[in-house]
Amino acid sequence: VLVAPSVKAHVQTVTAYIVPLLVGLRYSMPSFLGILCFDAFRAGPITLVRTTRNLIALDVQEEIRAVSAPTLLVWGENDTLVPPSLAHVLHKDIAHSHLVLLEKASHVCMYDRARDFNLAVLTFLQFDDKK
């Protein structure tokens, strides 16, 4: 199960993530903002910048195409950090993948739409278990 994985950067600089992050806050549940701020403070700016640089430089296209296991891809339709357009690309690249787009959800779709997210994951795992 992959949830809006950052495996293919749609921007090329750390600062280019600032606007999508700020726009994404508009779609996030207000109760998540405290969690986000706490985690960002705990990680610190150096770690956040280094991690973002590493994500931008990451190239796992070959590994993605080699995935043969049934894979559930879950995305929020309002994800501004890892846009749903990338979900469709990943869905094509992973042979046995199933894509679920959650309405009115942001990058943290497991938080924004917890009930729908859990149902999608449990349904996928039960289906896969019967194979």
Side-chain angles (χ1 to χ4, degrees), residues 38-89:
F38 176 76
D39 285 349
F41 178 75
R42 190 172 61 179
I46 293 171
T47 300
L48 293 174
V49 169
R50 184 182 325 122
T51 301
T52 305
R53 282 186 183 150
N54 290 342
L55 286 172
I56 291 168
L58 187 67
D59 182 7
V60 293
Q61 285 305 113
E62 193 173 313
E63 290 86 349
I64 287 172
R65 289 188 185 104
V67 173
S68 60
T71 305
L72 175 63
L73 304 168
V74 186
W75 243 271
E77 71 174 3
N78 295 325
D79 190 338
T80 56
L81 290 177
V82 184
S85 58
L86 294 178
H88 297 289
V89 170

Side-chain angles (χ1 to χ4, degrees), residues 24-39:
L25 294 176
R26 180 176 103 189
Y27 297 109
S28 296
M29 294 182 68
S31 58
F32 185 73
L33 296 180
I35 296 168
L36 179 65
C37 291
F38 176 76
D39 285 349

Side-chain angles (χ1 to χ4, degrees), residues 2 5 7 64-65 67 71-75 84-101:
L2 300 175
V7 296
I64 287 172
R65 289 188 185 104
V67 173
T71 305
L72 175 63
L73 304 168
V74 186
W75 243 271
S85 58
L86 294 178
H88 297 289
V89 170
L90 206 57
H91 182 45
K92 288 179 189 174
D93 288 346
I94 298 177
H96 303 286
S97 64
H98 178 70
L99 175 60
V100 173
L101 288 172

